[in-house]
Amino acid sequence: MQQFNTIIGNDIQAAKALLQKGEVVGIPTETVYGLAGNALNGDAALKIFSVKNRPYFDPLIVHTHSISEIEKYVAEIPDKARLLMQHFMPGALTLLLKKKDLIPDIITSGLDTVAIRIPAHPLTLQLLKELPFPLAAPSANPFGYISPTIAAHVYDQLKGKIPYILDGGATTVGVESTIVGFEGDDVVIYRLGGLTIEEIERVAGKVKVNINAASNPKTPGMLKSHYAPAVPLVFGEPELLEAAKAANKAIGTICFDTAITGLNSRTKQILLSPNGDLNEAAKNLFAAMRNLDTSGLDIIYAVRFPDEGLGRAINDRLKRASVK
Ligand code: TXA
Ligand code: MG
């Protein structure tokens, strides 16, 4: 693979020039950082898969800057999809829509739907407006690892493999977009994410949730094990915490607003939101996982978050990150 002297900067023109040459660059979004390439260029897509070490069966999300752009790439927009687009785009919403031939098969892993969204980040929206093509962008992490929420996370893991990272500061949402598809009249959620079920239901009525990879060949990337730190992470099973305590392990904890008591002095505890705000907790989740993963701990213990709002997406990520 080609080697680069990776630069971090906020120069949209530099990012644009590289993308026009078919290179891939790190880009900020409001959810997590993406690894972007020309979505209409199969070779650029191949580079994305190779930099991420991502299997080809896992399709990519296409990023555009407007609803009229989306119309260029999709064959039909169901009424409820249009409603959701009008309410939540730009935002943390990805829609699965029938694709036009213009979108290469490698982007969709051969599926006839394309995942498409408009990211709510000023730098990336500007970049998309200046480019004559949309950007395919998975999260900018090696396949299976924790998604990046600052430019330095991207640099730490992909330096040398990409020429440029567009630095747009810390992401404001902190978990990936919610993926929504349409089956007949039903609105189906395939990945819990930064736009909550409650918000979607307020606009589109009752939704179905189908986030289980085994029963859900429609979102092949939703593997059961994902977002995983190298240190074993245990999620919401108090008896496993007790066992780690009894074995005098160095425990890292991911808590909501209250620390766990009775741990030894080698403990490192992170409260995702001392004020008990689920949005703040989501924003801090992935950085906390990275922090604990590199703190010399034996085990990470994460509590279960309230099963509402962004708490659902947080629990989903922690469950996928946990050891089975
Ligand atoms: O917030 C986000 O969505 C971020 C930022 C960078 O936009 N992107 C992101 O991409 O999370 P990625 O590649 O890490 O996750 C994309 C998910 C995968 O689970 C993939 O299987 C699913 O979207 N997906 C993509 N295209 C699809 C399609 N045509 N049909 C079904 N699922 C699709
Ligand atoms: Mg990802």
Side-chain angles (χ1 to χ4, degrees):
M1 201 192 301
Q2 197 183 338
Q3 285 294 305
F4 295 96
N5 176 20
T6 307
I7 293 167
I8 302 184
N10 53 18
D11 182 354
I12 291 179
Q13 298 312 319
K16 179 181 165 188
L18 287 161
L19 289 162
Q20 284 186 302
K21 282 200 307 183
E23 298 296 349
V24 302
V25 304
I27 58 162
T29 83
E30 80 280 37
T31 57
V32 301
Y33 272 72
L35 182 63
N38 180 350
L40 305 183
N41 173 343
D43 290 337
L46 278 174
K47 277 191 196 167
I48 295 174
F49 283 98
S50 115
V51 168
K52 254 189 88 100
N53 202 9
R54 178 178 177 117
Y56 292 120
F57 63 73
D58 191 359
L60 305 177
I61 296 178
V62 171
H63 297 65
T64 66
H65 62 80
S66 66
I67 293 177
S68 57
E69 275 295 301
I70 290 180
E71 286 167 347
K72 292 186 188 166
Y73 308 112
V74 307
E76 56 190 78
I77 301 179
D79 290 346
K80 283 189 177 165
R82 190 162 294 274
L83 206 58
L84 290 173
M85 287 161 83
Q86 285 160 349
H87 275 84
F88 300 118
M89 289 187 170
L93 170 68
T94 293
L95 295 181
L96 300 180
L97 297 169
K98 283 257 169 334
K99 82 176 188 78
K100 285 187 182 157
D101 289 344
L102 199 56
I103 300 289
D105 285 335
I106 179 157
I107 297 288
T108 63
S109 304
L111 297 171
D112 64 355
T113 55
V114 59
I116 197 154
R117 84 178 194 97
I118 305 176
H121 192 289
L123 272 188
T124 292
L125 279 176
Q126 186 58 37
L127 175 65
L128 286 164
K129 280 182 193 149
E130 293 199 17
L131 284 168
F133 47 76
L135 292 174
S139 51
N141 50 281
F143 184 68
Y145 194 66
I146 305 162
S147 299
T149 53
I150 55 174
H153 292 163
V154 183
Y155 184 83
D156 287 346
Q157 292 189 299
L158 300 181
K159 61 175 168 296
K161 295 184 173 171
I162 56 176
Y164 199 77
I165 301 166
L166 188 60
D167 188 350
T171 63
T172 50
V173 175
V175 291
E176 296 83 351
S177 60
T178 302
I179 300 182
V180 175
F182 305 89
E183 293 175 14
D185 279 342
D186 290 335
V187 175
V188 185
I189 296 191
Y190 293 104
R191 177 174 73 182
L192 298 170
L195 181 66
T196 64
I197 294 182
E198 290 89 335
E199 288 171 288
I200 293 172
E201 289 193 329
R202 226 172 285 138
V203 168
K206 198 84 194 129
V207 300
K208 290 189 174 168
V209 179
N210 181 2
I211 55 171
N212 199 332
S215 63
N216 176 17
K218 284 229 162 133
T219 321
M222 289 304 284
L223 300 181
K224 216 170 152 219
S225 170
H226 213 135
Y227 312 101
V231 173
L233 185 148
V234 167
F235 171 52
E237 290 177 83
E239 61 285 2
L240 293 179
L241 174 64
E242 289 312 315
K245 273 160 89 172
N248 201 26
K249 299 249 195 236
I251 304 173
T253 75
I254 296 178
C255 302
F256 186 15
D257 51 6
T258 338
I260 293 170
T261 53
L263 301 181
N264 68 27
S265 62
R266 292 182 301 140
T267 297
K268 181 165 185 180
Q269 301 218 49
I270 297 183
L271 305 186
L272 293 189
S273 174
N275 302 321
D277 174 354
L278 285 171
N279 295 353
E280 184 182 32
K283 178 171 151 58
N284 292 328
L285 174 68
F286 288 146
M289 286 166 68
R290 279 175 191 264
N291 178 332
L292 295 177
D293 201 22
T294 51
S295 294
L297 299 160
D298 299 321
I299 189 167
I300 300 170
Y301 182 79
V303 302
R304 185 175 291 279
F305 283 70
D307 200 23
E308 61 186 32
L310 286 188
R312 288 191 237 255
I314 295 173
N315 286 332
D316 173 83
R317 301 304 185 271
L318 288 170
K319 189 165 161 208
R320 289 177 206 276
S322 65
V323 289
K324 302 293 166 341

